[in-house]
Amino acid sequence: MNTLRKHAFPAFYGLLIYFTVRLLHDLAVDEQFWKRDWGLNILEMACSVLVGYVCVYTFEKLFRFYDLNGALQSNYQGVFKELALLVIANLIVVCAIFIPMAALTDDGLSWADLADLTIIPTLYALVYYGIVRSSSWLKAYVGNRLLLEKITNQQLETELKFLKAQYHPHFLFNALNTVYFQMDEDLPGAKKSIEKFSELLRYQLYDQQQKVPVFKEIAYLESYIDLQKIRSSERLRLELFFDENLTDQLVYPLLFLPLVENAFKFIGGAYEMSVKANVDQKWITFSVENSVPLIAKGHLKSGGIGLENLKRRLDLLYGERHELILEKDDESFKASIKIDYE
């Protein structure tokens, strides 16, 4: 295609100008150019082809000059300046070749011929400019969009890594507190807790941007809940329900845990907690509800790093394909996540 454009198109461009000029001229004077001397016609066609090659070569040189200098990307003045130079270059070529050629024809050069030989090539030059430059601008636009998308993705990846870095100290603080309180009362139990703690940390080595089967996420939650029950009050009444159909559906890891953490952190009152997970053909629903102390002002906003971190991660990973619902009344706090796993 580039070879055809380079070698054949300029000839076609010049002949297109020639036949357009001849058509307008012949209609005006009621004449047919093919009835003229063919030697004269061939001379005019040869001159037109020469105009085509010189014009296209000049236009391409002008385009490359502006592309290298980036003038068109700065403002509209660059576009107008390039367009003006293109028109001037086109008129110079036309006047240098077409005008002398027309003056040597059998009927000489009239004002009508002069108008045709300057206006028609200029109009074709403008059309050529529009086609070539619109293609270049479209490619530049697509390239800029791809670059912007790449930069945006890199920024999102960086933010996800930062959120993950925020999350780990939060988790470590809670887990180490659990082991710390157990050390004085149950050393063998503390050793088992450390083993479970190491399993939890191993699971967290998963890339936060790579999905895992949901059954692994549930197993992780069960281990975490077992670890938290050690330091919880004996009054705790815990209800767990995980749908048996939750198997190989893929989810991003560590999105359910902040709700469980938040529940253990703020549980009070009747010390009741329920953790449930269900699945249907499109959605996985995970909900946690816990009773709260009688005085729990601002509890909905007290999730701290955990809930704020979770909201942002859900936005980045699932966009509009998720729902996070937080509800509070005087006796309980309920949080639920709905995720489109398809």
Side-chain angles (χ1 to χ4, degrees), residues 127-157:
V127 172
Y128 179 78
Y129 178 85
I131 293 174
V132 173
R133 271 319 194 193
S134 62
S135 176
S136 301
W137 292 332
L138 180 60
K139 290 179 182 178
Y141 173 77
V142 172
N144 288 335
R145 291 290 298 179
L146 291 174
L147 179 61
L148 178 62
E149 184 176 348
K150 182 178 179 181
I151 293 173
T152 301
N153 288 337
Q154 289 176 344
Q155 290 176 336
L156 294 179
E157 290 176 7

Side-chain angles (χ1 to χ4, degrees), residues 62 91 179 191 234 251 275:
L62 183 64
L91 290 175
V179 176
K191 292 181 179 179
E234 295 180 356
V251 297
V275 180

Side-chain angles (χ1 to χ4, degrees), residues 176-236:
L176 288 174
N177 260 351
T178 300
V179 176
Y180 175 80
F181 285 111
Q182 197 178 15
M183 291 288 288
D184 293 334
E185 301 176 0
D186 184 8
L187 188 57
K191 292 181 179 179
K192 292 181 180 179
S193 297
I194 291 175
E195 291 176 0
K196 191 174 291 290
F197 181 40
S198 65
E199 293 176 1
L200 296 175
L201 289 177
R202 189 177 300 112
Y203 180 82
Q204 291 184 24
L205 294 177
Y206 279 114
D207 188 343
Q208 299 293 290
Q209 299 174 63
Q210 298 297 323
K211 293 181 178 181
V212 298
V214 70
F215 76 86
K216 291 187 176 181
E217 187 75 1
I218 291 175
Y220 174 84
L221 289 173
E222 290 176 329
S223 296
Y224 178 81
I225 290 171
D226 289 340
L227 191 62
Q228 286 294 333
K229 285 164 62 177
I230 296 171
R231 58 176 295 193
S232 298
S233 169
E234 295 180 356
R235 297 165 52 198
L236 175 65

Side-chain angles (χ1 to χ4, degrees), residues 1-9:
M1 183 61 69
N2 289 334
T3 302
L4 180 65
R5 177 183 173 185
K6 181 178 180 181
H7 299 291
F9 175 77

Side-chain angles (χ1 to χ4, degrees), residues 62-75:
L62 183 64
F63 295 157
R64 283 195 292 271
F65 172 78
Y66 269 79
D67 288 340
L68 290 175
N69 289 275
L72 297 183
Q73 298 179 8
S74 57
N75 49 51

Side-chain angles (χ1 to χ4, degrees), residues 10-11 13 47-61 89-90 92-94 96-97:
Y13 178 81
C47 290
S48 299
V49 170
L50 178 61
V51 167
Y53 277 101
V54 175
C55 283
V56 171
Y57 174 79
T58 304
F59 297 162
E60 294 296 329
K61 291 285 287 185
N90 176 77
I92 291 174
V93 174
V94 167
I97 300 176

